[in-house]
């Protein structure tokens, strides 16, 4: 069954995440939510949002809708005989399997409900695009930039999903205005381009994309939900350990911690923590975007490892994802580090990989980070 689409502004979608369903004005006015088939979406886009390139497409799985969908005529001016799907009820956020940036004339990539890798990549791209201060078109994808957080490589990089040559990646990354050239390569077979860039002196890292269902729940105790400010001290201490010796360390750490509040402006964020004697010693974050959730920034203070805190954080994240109606929970982990083995033992399967490539650094401390909040260090 082909997906159905709904085009909206990112802020409208964020409000729907908080409410659990999208209820546009048309629902009260005409009794239905306007949807489109993939080949039709350009028509409401041109009529309602002419020239806009900051919108999102909600990819709806019709099988997850409880209310009826009827094919009916559109509005005057639409091609003769064209019929649009109309949903006679609110659009549940749990029926949205992906949220995809709509940047015509580029064709959006619409993952299927059963495509765990496609949904994970859509969430990563969409989050970066929606929170970016600026998005620029480049060959094969986009460049995201945010001058407020120049030390965050995650916020200043290329994200590429169409195959391009290594020379094209290098040229685009150099010419996009990034503080330091870096890119994420997400297409199948990007390992060859990554190897070519490694031969040119670029730093290359393979990142595994892992996924599992939100259920069944993991056994054991659960972490508590906290205000994000409660975990700032843990994040800051971790960055200071990891980046000891970096020039301008105070500014770098301030940017890496300070950027995190922006995620909750575009997806539903829950911060989870474990305390010992009132102090946060382990934490993690769940980001919910429709029926897909991502586990991020799982970290345990070194002195508190070996006590099951990582399990408590992950169990609480899966509980929260299930309660939000998510059927898929995803994460990313470095292929050459141990955390992915820990996640595999807890039901996460590797569904694909991406490649992070970074140009040789002109000086220590130019741009230091590529992950959110803190690295996956959840294990113990």
């Amino acid at each position: 069954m082909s997906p159905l689409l709904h085009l909206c502004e990112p802020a409208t979608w964020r409000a729907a995440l908080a409410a659990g369903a999208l209820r546009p004005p048309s629902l009260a006015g005409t009794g239905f939510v306007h949807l489109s088939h993939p080949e039709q979406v350009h028509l409401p886009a041109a009529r309602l949002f002419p020239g806009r390139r900051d919108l999102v497409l909600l990819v709806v799985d019709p099988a997850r809708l409880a209310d009826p969908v009827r094919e009916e005529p559109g509005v005057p001016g639409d091609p003769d005989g064209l019929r649009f799907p109309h949903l006679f009820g609110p659009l549940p956020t749990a029926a949205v399997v992906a949220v995809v940036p709509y940047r015509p004339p580029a064709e959006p990539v619409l993952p299927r409900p059963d495509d765990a890798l496609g949904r994970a990549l859509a969430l990563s791209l969409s989050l970066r695009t929606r929170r970016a201060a600026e998005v620029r078109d480049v060959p094969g994808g986009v460049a995201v930039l945010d001058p407020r957080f120049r030390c965050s490589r995650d916020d200043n990089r290329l994200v590429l999903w169409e195959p391009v040559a290594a020379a094209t990646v290098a040229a685009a990354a150099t010419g996009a205005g990034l503080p330091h050239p870096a890119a994420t390569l997400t297409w199948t077979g990007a390992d060859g381009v990554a190897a070519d860039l490694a031969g040119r002196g670029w730093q290359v890292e393979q990142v595994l994309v892992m996924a599992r269902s939100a259920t069944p729940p993991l056994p054991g105790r659960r972490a508590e939900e906290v205000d994000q400010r409660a975990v700032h001290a843990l994040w800051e201490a971790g960055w200071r350990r990891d980046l000891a010796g970096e020039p301008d360390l105070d500014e770098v750490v301030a940017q890496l911690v300070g950027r995190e509040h922006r995620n909750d402006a575009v997806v539903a964020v829950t911060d989870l923590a474990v305390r010992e004697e009132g102090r946060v010693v382990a934490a993690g974050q769940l980001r919910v975007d429709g029926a897909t959730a991502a586990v991020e920034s799982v970290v345990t203070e070194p002195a508190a490892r070996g006590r099951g805190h990582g399990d408590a954080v992950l169990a609480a994240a899966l509980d929260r994802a299930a309660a939000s109606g998510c059927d898929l929970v995803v994460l990313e982990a470095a292929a050459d580090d141990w955390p992915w083995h820990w996640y595999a033992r807890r039901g996460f399967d590797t569904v694909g990989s991406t490649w992070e490539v970074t140009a040789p650094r002109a000086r220590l401390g130019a741009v230091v980070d590529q992950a959110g909040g803190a690295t996956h260090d959840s294990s113990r």
Side-chain angles (χ1 to χ4, degrees):
M1 188 179 297
S2 298
L4 302 177
L5 304 177
H6 180 81
L7 184 68
C8 68
E9 296 177 312
T12 300
W13 171 240
R14 180 62 186 90
L17 286 171
L22 182 73
R23 293 179 172 85
S26 67
L27 185 60
T30 63
F32 58 81
V33 178
H34 290 271
L35 302 176
S36 300
H37 296 292
E39 67 276 10
Q40 299 172 324
V41 74
H42 66 284
L43 294 172
R47 183 171 62 250
L48 300 173
F49 305 104
R52 294 278 296 272
R53 304 185 74 230
D54 60 338
L55 305 171
V56 292
L57 282 175
L58 310 184
V59 183
V60 180
D61 180 5
R64 306 180 190 215
L65 298 174
D67 292 307
V69 176
R70 300 173 188 151
E71 298 284 337
E72 297 182 330
V75 300
D78 286 337
D80 291 341
L82 191 64
R83 301 175 75 84
F84 287 83
H86 292 160
L87 170 62
F88 284 80
L91 174 58
T93 56
V96 176
V97 297
V99 181
V100 178
Y102 184 66
R103 295 181 57 80
E107 287 292 327
V109 179
L110 309 176
R112 303 183 313 275
D114 62 350
D115 181 4
L117 176 60
R119 289 171 61 180
L121 295 179
L123 175 53
S124 177
L125 166 65
S126 188
L127 175 65
R128 283 168 163 159
T129 303
R130 279 181 271 167
R131 75 186 180 196
E134 182 180 357
V135 182
R136 300 179 184 175
D137 296 320
V138 298
V142 296
V144 293
L145 303 98
D146 197 327
R148 298 168 299 175
F149 304 99
R150 293 178 60 83
C151 295
S152 171
R153 195 184 306 157
D154 195 48
D155 293 288
N156 296 276
R157 67 188 304 104
L158 309 185
V159 185
L160 308 179
W161 58 89
E162 294 182 351
V164 290
T168 302
V169 176
T174 302
L178 302 171
H180 194 78
T184 300
L185 316 180
T186 68
W187 68 88
T188 301
D191 53 329
V193 172
D196 193 344
L197 288 166
R200 300 168 183 236
W202 285 52
Q203 176 185 339
V204 172
E205 180 183 33
Q206 183 182 12
V207 177
L208 301 181
V209 180
M210 307 186 74
R212 62 156 283 172
S213 170
T215 57
L218 293 178
R221 64 194 178 91
R222 267 53 176 167
E224 63 176 303
E225 296 184 17
V226 298
D227 184 284
Q228 188 178 102
R229 289 170 294 187
V231 303
H232 281 183
L234 180 68
W235 287 349
E236 181 174 343
W239 286 125
R240 289 188 178 279
R241 285 193 303 272
D242 294 343
L243 304 176
E246 288 282 332
D248 306 317
L249 180 60
D250 289 345
E251 175 61 21
V252 170
V253 171
Q255 288 190 30
L256 296 182
V257 174
R259 68 188 176 171
E260 286 298 311
H261 72 279
R262 298 164 307 135
N263 294 316
D264 192 55
V266 294
V267 297
V269 171
T270 301
D271 286 282
L272 303 156
V274 176
R275 301 178 191 266
E276 289 185 352
E277 298 180 353
R279 186 170 59 86
V280 172
V281 296
Q285 189 174 93
L286 184 77
R287 301 172 182 174
V288 171
D289 203 23
T292 309
V295 175
E296 292 280 351
S297 309
V298 180
V299 63
T300 302
E301 184 179 274
R305 293 175 181 170
R307 301 172 191 169
H309 295 335
D311 278 306
V313 168
L314 184 57
L318 293 174
D319 284 348
R320 179 71 176 186
S324 299
C326 300
D327 70 315
L328 183 69
V329 181
V330 300
L331 60 84
E332 297 179 348
D336 62 356
D337 205 356
W338 57 263
W340 77 266
H341 296 281
W342 185 87
Y343 286 109
R345 293 194 297 270
R346 284 147 183 84
F348 283 87
D349 295 320
T350 299
V351 296
S353 63
T354 62
W355 295 86
E356 305 285 359
V357 296
T358 309
R361 297 168 75 175
R363 62 178 179 83
L364 188 65
V367 180
V368 298
D369 166 64
Q370 67 184 29
T375 54
H376 276 294
D377 186 13
S378 55
S379 68
R380 307 189 278 272

